[in-house]
Amino acid sequence: MSNKRKELIVSAIENGTVIDHIPAESVFQVIRILGLDKTDKQVYFGINLESKKFGTKGIIKISEKYFENVEVNKIALVAPSATMIEIRDFEVVSKNNVKIPETIEKIVKCFNPNCITNHEQVETKFRVFYDENNDLKLACRYCEKNTSRANVVFL
Amino acid sequence: MKNRSLVSINDFTKEEIIKILDLAESFEKNPRQNILNGKVIASLFFEPSTRTRLSFESAVQQLGGSIIGFASAATSSVQKGETLKDTILTVSNYSDLIVMRHHVDGSARYASEVASVPIINAGDGANQHPTQCLLDLYSIRKTQGTLDNLDIAFVGDLKYGRTVHSLTIALTMFNTRFHLVSPPELKLPSAVKRHIKEANLQYEQYTDFMDVMPKCDIIYMTRIQRERFPDPLDYEKVKNAYILQNQMLTGSKDKLKVLHPLPRVNEITTDVDSNPKAYYFEQALNGVYVRQALVASILGLA
């Protein structure tokens, strides 16, 4: 199979965004986080595709849609390896790795049920840090409790 | 710290903490001054806490300030379903400073973002109680002459004890050696131990109370609550192991002092009270001076 043929396993798009190198198991989560299950744009996705870097990967292509940084940040938590590729007229215009930001606002729920953000309409704010096992943790600005990656729930 | 809210001890540097303790010392020498004359302090206790509330109110009134507020959510508009935000915005209009106790974690930080006047956190749920932490530090410094290089034992429920967590983290600034005495079920959480490790300090964990007795300068007692144990048998096994009795203090250091955030139930037997090493009631008195220092400095009057 030629390289060109491989790329076309998921249809090429004329204008829009390709999100590549998503961990295969995170594709559906990325779709949900970005609200692609509710969009009226054309969305293609593939899971368990071959990847030189990761073994398997997932990919999502969205026609006629570009993303703001704050939206991209949302997926960095579940797909830190993802690449955002902007396509215009079938050409790659830019290619960016998503980055886990130093702070995460509004998009994640605090794990602590007694946190004020779960009691009143308060936008959540977290500081991102890594613990001694290098696991990602989110420190709540309000209750000061840490939410670990496994407990992350998106708002 | 004029106009600054006091929400969490973690917001303060070592220098800032020492400055507050020094100021508290000057209020201890002269606790009745008229410097808060004409100032209105709101005391909003959404959750009852008689000791903390009276300590604040005494601190303010000894300095000539007036107090408005409520002692429990039942007597406030929370009863009618008012949000915390609305209560804080309203009370901001009536006062120069708000002292607030609330059962929800993080409520104090949120209130400080909403309020147009400074907030002093008098306890937000299981999270922070910074004035308790400062009065503990004040009591340690006053009795030992220093905060540096001390051997400090924490005894009892180290897992859920909010005061233990805050004080441990604050003491990592002072080269403390930590002695952690608890049943295995109630050990200090690893998130708190991480602070000790990050400061390159030592801690030892014990299950036998008597092991630490000859070593420490301070014993900080806490209460072990029955409801912390899913299995009542586990509670029965440990309930008497962490009770301090007077004869246990034989052989401890001369300068040892026993601290307790109070209220005490049975974890320190009453025969300890007359021992000069018992310090918990003086500790509570120190809270008045520390709160005077905080109110005065936040209002820019000291």
Side-chain angles (χ1 to χ4, degrees):
Chain A
M1 211 186 320
S2 73
N3 278 340
K4 189 169 179 187
R5 184 76 191 91
K6 256 190 190 174
E7 276 170 24
L8 293 176
I9 285 176
V10 179
S11 305
I13 54 173
E14 186 176 350
N15 290 298
T17 305
V18 175
I19 309 169
D20 200 359
H21 302 118
I22 304 169
E25 69 277 10
S26 301
V27 168
F28 290 104
Q29 229 171 341
V30 170
I31 287 173
R32 206 173 46 79
I33 292 168
L34 294 177
L36 301 178
D37 49 348
K38 296 185 185 80
T39 180
D40 55 356
K41 310 289 186 207
Q42 291 183 357
V43 179
Y44 311 89
F45 70 88
I47 53 172
N48 299 323
L49 306 181
E50 267 178 56
S51 162
K52 283 189 193 113
K53 267 195 226 165
F54 303 104
T56 62
K57 68 170 184 181
I59 192 166
I60 302 173
K61 301 189 180 193
I62 309 105
S63 276
E64 309 296 336
K65 175 139 179 85
Y66 301 99
F67 291 91
E68 303 286 334
N69 268 346
V70 59
E71 291 176 285
V72 171
N73 287 346
K74 293 187 190 186
I75 77 156
L77 284 178
V78 295
S81 56
T83 321
M84 279 281 178
I85 303 161
E86 199 182 318
I87 309 279
R88 293 191 195 263
D89 195 18
F90 293 107
E91 300 282 337
V92 172
V93 183
S94 70
K95 211 174 199 182
N96 291 301
N97 294 323
V98 302
K99 281 199 187 79
I100 294 181
E102 285 175 13
T103 58
I104 291 181
E105 298 190 2
K106 299 177 196 174
I107 59 170
V108 173
K109 187 175 149 68
C110 182
F111 175 59
N112 174 9
N114 198 38
C115 177
I116 186 75
T117 59
N118 291 316
H119 285 252
E120 290 210 6
Q121 284 200 320
V122 184
E123 288 176 345
T124 62
K125 293 189 186 76
F126 299 91
R127 180 177 55 81
V128 177
F129 73 100
Y130 293 84
D131 71 3
E132 61 269 31
N133 303 320
N134 212 27
D135 291 329
L136 179 140
K137 294 264 166 83
L138 304 179
C140 176
R141 167 176 170 79
Y142 295 96
C143 74
E144 305 187 16
K145 297 280 180 296
N146 300 331
T147 298
S148 61
R149 189 191 285 261
N151 294 323
V152 165
V153 173
F154 290 90
L155 290 167
Chain B
M1 50 188 287
K2 192 177 174 185
N3 286 329
R4 183 170 168 193
S5 289
L6 174 68
V7 172
S8 166
I9 194 73
N10 303 332
D11 297 341
F12 286 77
T13 64
K14 182 175 174 173
E15 289 67 33
E16 288 168 332
I17 288 174
I18 288 172
K19 224 173 141 182
I20 295 164
L21 301 186
D22 290 345
L23 188 58
E25 215 169 76
S26 74
F27 278 105
E28 180 172 0
K29 290 183 193 122
N30 189 10
R32 303 218 170 177
Q33 315 171 28
N34 224 10
I35 58 173
L36 294 185
N37 196 8
K39 297 287 179 191
V40 178
I41 313 298
S43 159
L44 309 186
F45 280 67
F46 296 89
E47 173 188 65
S49 170
T50 309
R51 187 175 326 272
T52 304
R53 184 171 59 82
L54 294 183
S55 170
F56 264 111
E57 297 187 358
S58 171
V60 168
Q61 291 188 352
Q62 289 189 56
L63 296 180
S66 4
I67 300 270
I68 58 169
F70 49 81
S72 79
T75 57
S76 80
S77 45
V78 177
Q79 190 76 342
K80 300 175 186 163
E82 188 178 52
T83 61
L84 174 61
K85 182 181 179 181
D86 286 6
T87 306
I88 295 296
L89 285 175
T90 309
V91 176
S92 292
N93 294 330
Y94 305 154
S95 59
D96 300 295
L97 182 153
I98 297 174
V99 175
M100 179 181 119
R101 168 88 153 211
H102 199 285
H103 61 280
V104 173
D105 305 348
S107 52
R109 177 80 64 197
Y110 177 56
S112 76
E113 291 174 349
V114 174
S116 56
V117 297
I119 300 277
I120 294 181
N121 181 8
D124 62 321
N127 182 33
Q128 284 278 332
H129 190 2
T131 62
Q132 176 72 45
C133 187
L134 288 165
L135 81 88
D136 291 340
L137 290 170
Y138 186 81
S139 300
I140 294 170
R141 189 175 81 161
K142 188 175 157 190
T143 58
Q144 306 297 322
T146 176
L147 279 168
D148 296 307
N149 307 309
L150 296 171
D151 282 275
I152 297 184
F154 289 94
V155 180
D157 179 356
L158 310 189
K159 186 172 179 184
Y160 298 100
R162 166 183 68 185
T163 53
V164 171
H165 303 168
S166 301
L167 185 56
T168 300
I169 293 168
L171 282 169
T172 59
M173 295 188 248
F174 298 97
N175 206 26
T176 301
R177 285 174 298 277
F178 295 92
H179 304 276
L180 309 173
V181 187
S182 72
E185 297 90 339
L186 297 177
K187 279 190 191 168
L188 195 69
S190 54
V192 182
K193 282 184 206 147
R194 192 164 55 85
H195 288 270
I196 303 179
K197 286 183 209 156
E198 279 174 1
N200 286 318
L201 298 178
Q202 302 294 317
Y203 67 84
E204 269 189 84
Q205 302 188 100
Y206 312 76
T207 50
D208 188 344
F209 195 170
M210 289 312 287
D211 286 350
V212 299
M213 200 53 81
K215 299 182 191 173
C216 5
D217 304 305
I218 293 286
I219 293 178
Y220 196 98
M221 293 294 298
T222 64
R223 179 155 42 102
I224 294 180
Q225 296 173 351
R226 185 189 299 268
E227 56 269 29
R228 300 300 186 198
F229 291 83
D231 184 346
L233 280 178
D234 290 335
Y235 172 73
E236 292 302 319
K237 273 186 246 164
V238 303
K239 71 172 185 187
N240 293 323
Y242 303 95
I243 291 178
L244 180 63
Q245 296 165 318
N246 195 35
Q247 85 265 10
M248 292 163 71
L249 291 166
T250 317
S252 61
K253 287 189 189 176
D254 289 343
K255 63 169 185 169
L256 170 79
K257 292 286 184 245
V258 178
L259 272 57
H260 188 301
L262 302 179
R264 158 185 62 176
V265 180
N266 63 346
E267 58 278 15
I268 302 176
T269 55
T270 49
D271 60 355
V272 180
D273 297 357
S274 53
N275 190 318
K277 292 176 180 174
Y279 194 73
Y280 24 94
F281 293 113
E282 289 95 324
Q283 181 187 358
L285 172 61
N286 291 335
V288 173
Y289 310 133
V290 167
R291 288 167 178 131
Q292 287 182 323
L294 287 166
V295 171
S297 82
I298 288 171
L299 291 176
L301 299 168

